[in-house]
Amino acid sequence: MSRPGQQGPILVLNAGSSSIKFALFDTMLSPILSGMADGIGGASQLRIADTDFPQNLPTHEAALSAILTGLGQLGFQASTLRAAAHRVVHGGKNLTQPSQITPTIRQRIQANIPLAPLHNPHNLAAIDTLAKLAPDLPQFASFDTAFHATNPDVATHYAVPQQITDRGIRRYGFHGLSYASLVDLFPDLTSTPLPARVLALHLGNGASLCAIKDGRSVATTMGYSPLEGLTMGTRAGSLDANAVLRLVEEDGLDVTRDLLNSKSGLLGLSNGTSDMRALLAQGTAQADFAIEHFCYWAARHAGSMIAAMQGVDALVFTGGIGENSPEIRRRIVANLGWTGAGMDRAYNQSNALRLSPQTSRTPVWIVPAQEERKIAADALTLLAQGARF
Ligand code: ADP
């Protein structure tokens, strides 16, 4: 059976608690436009390409409806789209491949809500709403955890009894769509094959590292949730579970959850700023300490990733900080000089693709994060394989 939109663009959706980001890609994976419905349930607005549309968007359903109407006005009616493809944060143990949304897949995403209570419900709401608004549009999902499904058991298990692991208390890892797209894009972008052992550094508001061996994730710094690992914009990163227990005992669960996820990291250390660019501009002792903490712990965790690969052949930076901040890259690579990585000052300053001099034993690169393009690519692959619609 064919639909009118068989050659049409792919709509990529990333639904969060109060926003829905979206992008259209053509079937060659070139971006057509992107936008965001923001402030859902409050002071909301819809931005498509460079145009703002003040909108009353009390719910995700209202926001999706406004997005479809707005896209329709630009000539991209739902009936002309080839598919919708969602970023779903948590695939849990079972959802380790991009999938067409079927009742079974939907049910599994729902079953993973306890693993990602702040994320999966919004992804599911977008899927359900779109099914109502555009029932003929085939829908797909790519999972941010899936790339790490190749981690060995020894890397994913916490040292707790098996029955606790069986309840889903294990390490999953995140930023998987970013790392998967890095693996896909690296050879074309750099005109070199993907090195055997890559240390990938995704440094944004959320920050993690991934050990990529022969193109597959073998270790990553985020764990059961995106809280574990590096110092981040507002997340604390790794800290002793007994300290968490004491905080819960003294301050309660909700206060502690909010503290560790939303008030810690760079924000907590600097007493007010989670944004790296703003911190770098501040020049106060507190801001400098927050920056030093970020770089020191990125390098310490890098050591763990490199041990998991028994060495490293290249470093690749990505994410808002990784792609744009020469100073943060300089400090982290300086802490990793023992790996043979070096930086060319001018290349680094200009955010060049290759940051290291030709003489550097371990090259250092920037590969821009392209999660949305990867989600569209996954949907196109499934369509080409004959996904039903
Ligand atoms: P998210 O994890 O929310 O997707 P991003 O990947 O967009 O975040 O990264 C946001 C971070 O990147 C912010 O801390 C921001 O200050 C930082 N950043 C962006 N541009 C620069 C820059 N030129 N110098 C330093 N930091 C930057």
Side-chain angles (χ1 to χ4, degrees):
M1 193 176 85
S2 72
R3 304 174 62 255
Q6 224 170 40
Q7 296 309 315
I10 307 277
L11 171 63
V12 174
L13 290 163
N14 181 0
S17 56
S18 64
S19 70
I20 302 177
K21 292 184 194 153
F22 58 94
L24 283 182
F25 290 85
D26 69 19
T27 48
M28 301 305 289
L29 294 173
S30 300
I32 298 172
L33 59 79
S34 62
M36 171 149 86
D38 207 4
I40 299 169
S44 53
Q45 68 165 10
L46 173 65
R47 165 173 285 212
I48 304 183
D50 289 329
T51 311
D52 285 333
F53 304 84
Q55 295 263 347
N56 181 24
L57 305 172
T59 61
H60 281 67
E61 182 160 357
L64 255 179
S65 180
I67 291 168
L68 291 186
T69 304
L71 291 176
Q73 284 166 1
L74 295 173
F76 302 105
Q77 292 82 6
S79 60
T80 67
L81 301 175
R82 182 146 195 217
H86 300 262
R87 171 178 182 260
V88 175
V89 170
H90 217 306
K93 207 175 163 194
N94 296 324
L95 295 168
T96 58
Q97 298 290 335
S99 306
Q100 185 173 13
I101 303 290
T102 60
T104 308
I105 297 295
R106 191 205 168 282
Q107 194 279 327
R108 286 187 189 166
I109 296 171
Q110 183 155 31
N112 285 330
I113 285 178
L115 293 171
L118 304 179
H119 293 101
N120 276 26
H122 303 297
N123 303 145
L124 213 49
I127 289 167
D128 291 345
T129 305
L130 205 56
K132 261 197 266 169
L133 295 173
D136 293 335
L137 189 64
Q139 297 198 58
F140 297 87
S142 294
F143 304 95
D144 208 28
T145 45
F147 185 66
H148 306 297
T150 48
N151 283 197
D153 286 349
V154 71
T156 59
H157 278 228
Y158 291 115
V160 293
Q162 184 61 38
Q163 62 269 31
I164 303 297
T165 307
D166 291 344
R167 285 165 55 191
I169 308 293
R170 43 156 282 184
R171 309 178 81 260
Y172 295 94
F174 298 84
H175 287 148
L177 292 163
S178 167
Y179 295 127
S181 95
L182 183 156
V183 166
D184 286 354
L185 294 174
F186 186 95
D188 274 353
L189 216 53
T190 65
S191 304
T192 55
L194 187 76
R197 297 166 302 181
V198 173
L199 171 68
L201 305 95
H202 182 115
L203 309 178
N205 284 317
S208 73
L209 309 180
C210 184
I212 302 175
K213 195 167 182 198
D214 300 324
R216 290 147 68 98
S217 170
V218 295
T220 191
T221 54
M222 284 179 171
Y224 173 74
S225 82
L227 181 60
E228 192 173 348
L230 273 57
T231 306
M232 305 186 213
T234 64
R235 296 187 196 120
S238 294
L239 75 167
D240 188 328
N242 276 331
V244 180
L245 293 177
R246 176 174 159 196
L247 287 169
V248 170
E249 220 165 53
E250 293 180 2
D251 301 340
L253 187 59
D254 289 344
V255 170
T256 304
R257 182 188 291 118
D258 186 47
L259 171 84
L260 298 178
N261 286 283
S262 307
K263 299 205 168 112
S264 295
L266 297 174
L267 178 71
L269 289 168
S270 70
N271 198 19
T273 311
S274 66
D275 187 273
M276 185 58 91
R277 192 170 9 186
L279 279 174
L280 286 162
Q282 253 169 44
T284 62
Q286 270 179 325
D288 287 348
F289 183 71
I291 295 165
E292 186 189 340
H293 201 277
F294 182 90
C295 297
Y296 171 89
W297 283 101
R300 282 245 337 229
H301 286 291
S304 163
M305 296 296 105
I306 292 168
M309 296 185 287
Q310 295 289 295
V312 64
D313 302 310
L315 271 52
V316 183
F317 284 96
T318 192
I321 298 172
E323 291 167 34
N324 298 303
S325 178
E327 175 62 11
I328 300 300
R329 291 191 303 256
R330 183 190 68 73
R331 292 196 193 194
I332 293 174
V333 173
N335 286 337
L336 292 173
W338 54 271
T339 64
M343 289 280 235
D344 178 281
R345 207 185 155 127
Y347 293 169
N348 185 38
Q349 213 53 41
S350 61
N351 297 325
L353 171 65
R354 182 178 166 130
L355 302 170
S356 46
Q358 292 301 329
T359 50
S360 173
R361 180 159 54 86
T362 305
V364 185
W365 304 89
I366 294 177
V367 173
Q370 299 213 21
E371 288 122 315
E372 289 166 342
R373 185 180 184 277
K374 174 68 182 157
I375 296 163
D378 288 345
L380 277 175
T381 302
L382 286 169
L383 283 163
Q385 288 168 357
R388 284 175 298 107
F389 65 94

